[in-house]
Amino acid sequence: MEEKVEKLRQMISESNHIVFFGGAGVSTESGIPDFRSVDGLYHQQYEYPPETILSHTFYRQKPEEFYRFYKNKMLFLDAKPNAAHKKLAEWEKEGKLTAVVTQNIDGLHQAAGSKEVWELHGSVLRNYCEECGAFYDVQYVKEAEGVPLCEKCGGAVKPDVVLYEEGLDQHTINEAVKAIRNADMLIIGGTSLAVYPAAGLIDYFKGKYLVLINKAPTPRDNMADLVIQGSIGEIFSKL
């Protein structure tokens, strides 16, 4: 492990346009569970699997049940940035890192100080009335009884997160692709690279160093210049 961390350190020192592409594993170390690792709790409290509840169809058909799950299982407002978030923000400040592309919706990269963050799946921190477009913060949604309604027009307030069956925001995709295409080093961390179209973005990377850091193997390990299996926060805290 020390040898691999040293190699990573060396690659970073040789790079000036680093892009970080991250998934749920970056946030689990801040205490935010990956909802895909379904625990027994879901089965006790909910009649449907998370993937069904977090779909556009379910949101439309059973908004009360959607929000019961969403407020209980998707909002972790006390979570704090961990060593990985902080290190990335530090590199951006130093001018080494050009962008973070994330599949996470928790806003922790920004909380750590990162500015150039492309959120492929949106953010729980932004919520909009579906009728008039009025903005609401996450606290408003969390504290609302049942389905949060707009104070201005009474319309339903929807989180700015990409649900199953919904397309990704085209502008966000374009900017993420541009960042990856122009990177000289791409570090992928805390993602199984199983969720498309997000996972396909790494095909745009043409730079020098591709690094994969994840607790379990990924389908792209054989493409990487360096693969480190382990906790991303732990590895980044050694850099």
Side-chain angles (χ1 to χ4, degrees):
M1 175 66 88
E2 285 313 318
E3 216 171 282
K4 288 193 167 191
V5 171
E6 189 45 56
K7 192 175 177 190
L8 177 58
R9 203 178 279 126
Q10 188 58 42
M11 288 173 167
I12 290 162
S13 73
E14 290 174 26
S15 306
N16 296 306
H17 301 285
I18 301 170
V19 168
F20 178 80
F21 179 93
V26 181
S27 294
T28 48
E29 293 175 47
S30 290
I32 297 179
D34 176 2
F35 72 84
R36 272 191 192 76
S37 45
V38 179
D39 55 30
L41 200 63
Y42 288 131
H43 301 303
Q44 294 156 27
Q45 289 187 18
Y46 304 97
E47 288 172 40
Y48 307 90
E51 276 86 352
T52 302
I53 298 174
L54 294 172
S55 70
H56 181 83
T57 302
F58 194 92
Y59 169 76
R60 287 276 172 253
Q61 290 173 349
K62 299 179 187 287
E64 290 84 3
E65 184 67 3
F66 169 88
Y67 269 108
R68 190 165 79 88
F69 178 90
Y70 180 82
K71 291 177 197 181
N72 191 12
K73 288 288 179 187
M74 304 301 287
L75 300 181
F76 295 89
L77 306 187
D78 297 331
K80 298 277 182 282
N82 60 51
H85 297 108
K86 290 172 186 168
K87 184 55 77 177
L88 292 164
E90 201 181 293
W91 288 344
E92 185 185 42
K93 220 174 185 173
E94 290 166 4
K96 285 197 83 65
L97 180 125
T98 50
V100 168
V101 178
T102 181
Q103 294 172 290
N104 298 332
I105 56 175
D106 47 50
L108 289 179
H109 285 291
Q110 291 92 329
S114 288
K115 302 276 186 278
E116 196 73 7
V117 182
W118 297 106
E119 297 169 310
L120 297 175
H121 297 153
S123 171
V124 298
L125 304 183
R126 299 186 298 267
N127 305 273
Y128 298 96
C129 170
E130 293 198 85
E131 298 298 323
C132 73
F135 171 86
Y136 289 91
D137 65 13
V138 67
Q139 218 61 51
Y140 183 85
V141 169
K142 180 97 171 166
E143 288 162 14
E145 283 290 317
V147 178
L149 299 175
C150 178
E151 290 176 331
K152 298 185 171 103
C153 75
V157 174
K158 182 178 185 286
D160 187 16
V161 300
V162 180
L163 302 176
Y164 286 98
E165 306 165 346
E166 292 180 345
L168 303 191
D169 176 70
Q170 203 48 55
H171 174 68
T172 305
I173 287 268
N174 293 345
E175 292 300 325
V177 165
K178 197 195 296 178
I180 290 169
R181 196 178 262 147
N182 295 330
D184 56 5
M185 178 176 188
L186 178 62
I187 303 174
I188 297 172
T191 172
S192 59
L193 291 175
V195 178
Y196 281 80
L201 291 182
I202 71 165
D203 294 331
Y204 293 97
F205 178 64
K206 301 288 179 268
K208 192 174 179 187
Y209 294 128
L210 175 62
V211 177
L212 284 173
I213 304 170
N214 198 41
K215 283 184 175 170
T218 81
R220 303 297 190 102
D221 284 5
N222 60 339
M223 291 170 58
D225 299 290
L226 178 64
V227 176
I228 308 180
Q229 272 187 25
S231 138
I232 188 154
E234 217 172 281
I235 290 155
F236 271 36
S237 63
K238 292 176 178 172
L239 294 169

